[in-house]
Amino acid sequence: MDADKVFKALADPTRRKLLDLLCERNGQTLGQLCENLDMARQSATQHLQILEAANLVSSVRRGREKLHFINPVPLHEVYERWVRKFERQRLSLLHDLKKELEGKQP
Amino acid sequence: MDADKVFKALADPTRRKLLDLLCERNGQTLGQLCENLDMARQSATQHLQILEAANLVSSVRRGREKLHFINPVPLHEVYERWVRKFERQRLSLLHDLKKELEGKQP
DNA sequence: AGAAGATGCAGATAAATACCTGCATATCAA
DNA sequence: TTGATATGCAGGTATTTATCTGCATCTTCT
């Protein structure tokens, strides 16, 4: 997984909306997705290309249409790599802060 | 939580490295963090400000030093809002794709 | 074949982003 | 107090990014 591509893909609200739309109904065409977007079709295409490069979306050509499918695997890997790691110390943080402040002031 | 700020904060590799560094040792000063970064101190400051604006990092002034602490709460909320949602349909995706292709071709 | 529909490709541009340098301020320690 | 240390602030710049417009290509349907 290219974590940088995944994070950068998720950084844009339009692309997160595209993922939301595909989550509601998987396998939508470019045209269908554009109906919910309020921007030029060509712009949406670029966003979808970024999502594909991050492996968050796969597409299949069917005739003159292009169908898009969400792929949750990279998101799961982001979770494993990032969220769980930081959650492990969740409970110790207030302790760290308190100790730090107490230990150095009279 | 401002999801957009959180995602944009995580989109930069330097900022993710800062979170990693704070995960290894919480409560580091700006100077300590800079030793691991290979960029001007002022640049690191800007990254830390973005992390603070996203509430991923908190800081406390102690004399002439500034201590930084990681805050995992926004990451957890990102997980709840994003990762779990998409994971729920994880198993159905290959099915969706297969059905889509089969149903429309002779 | 020809028209309509869906998507692809390329170049232009305005805004956002990540850096930097230079100088200012505040704190500690001798 | 004075020098050294840690951080803050402001401005400048080069790169990246998001978006658009215009035109091309490829299917489908009549």
Side-chain angles (χ1 to χ4, degrees):
Chain A
M1 174 192 56
D2 186 332
D4 197 59
K5 283 188 182 174
V6 174
F7 280 113
K8 286 198 165 128
L10 293 172
D12 184 89
T14 299
R15 292 193 286 269
R16 293 197 299 276
K17 180 163 187 179
L18 281 168
L19 291 179
D20 273 338
L21 290 170
L22 289 178
C23 205
E24 288 173 14
R25 184 152 54 99
N26 213 12
Q28 293 189 66
T29 67
L30 174 59
Q32 290 174 324
L33 292 169
C34 282
E35 286 172 11
N36 297 284
L37 275 194
D38 193 42
M39 67 174 50
R41 170 185 55 82
Q42 292 89 335
S43 306
T45 297
Q46 289 185 328
H47 285 299
L48 285 165
Q49 284 171 345
I50 290 171
L51 289 170
E52 285 201 55
N55 204 28
L56 286 161
V57 164
S58 303
S59 64
V60 177
R61 199 70 193 254
R62 189 185 63 195
R64 60 182 165 182
E65 294 178 323
K66 190 175 183 182
L67 308 181
H68 298 82
F69 297 86
I70 197 172
N71 175 21
V73 175
L75 276 171
H76 183 72
E77 292 178 7
V78 160
Y79 167 66
E80 286 293 334
R81 162 72 179 76
W82 279 88
V83 182
R84 283 185 63 179
K85 175 180 181 180
F86 294 134
E87 286 206 328
R88 252 174 263 131
Q89 20 164 270
R90 194 170 180 183
L91 292 175
S92 65
L93 290 178
L94 287 177
H95 174 72
D96 292 347
L97 182 59
K98 198 177 168 194
K99 196 179 70 175
E100 192 61 39
L101 292 173
E102 285 174 350
K104 307 299 175 75
Q105 286 178 354
Chain B
M1 174 193 58
D2 186 332
D4 197 59
K5 282 187 182 173
V6 175
F7 280 113
K8 287 198 166 127
L10 293 172
D12 185 90
T14 300
R15 292 194 284 271
R16 292 197 301 276
K17 181 164 187 179
L18 281 168
L19 292 179
D20 272 338
L21 290 170
L22 289 178
C23 205
E24 287 174 16
R25 185 152 53 99
N26 212 13
Q28 293 189 65
T29 68
L30 173 59
Q32 291 173 322
L33 293 169
C34 281
E35 287 172 10
N36 297 284
L37 276 193
D38 193 40
M39 67 173 52
R41 170 185 56 81
Q42 291 90 333
S43 306
T45 298
Q46 290 184 326
H47 285 299
L48 285 165
Q49 284 170 345
I50 290 171
L51 289 169
E52 285 201 55
N55 204 28
L56 286 162
V57 163
S58 303
S59 64
V60 177
R61 198 72 193 251
R62 189 184 65 194
R64 61 182 162 180
E65 294 176 325
K66 190 174 184 182
L67 309 180
H68 297 83
F69 297 86
I70 197 172
N71 176 21
V73 175
L75 275 172
H76 183 74
E77 292 177 8
V78 161
Y79 168 66
E80 286 293 334
R81 162 73 178 78
W82 280 88
V83 182
R84 282 185 61 179
K85 175 180 180 180
F86 295 134
E87 286 207 326
R88 252 175 262 130
Q89 13 165 280
R90 194 169 179 184
L91 292 175
S92 66
L93 290 177
L94 286 177
H95 174 71
D96 292 346
L97 182 60
K98 198 176 167 195
K99 196 178 69 175
E100 192 61 39
L101 291 174
E102 285 173 352
K104 307 300 175 75
Q105 288 179 352

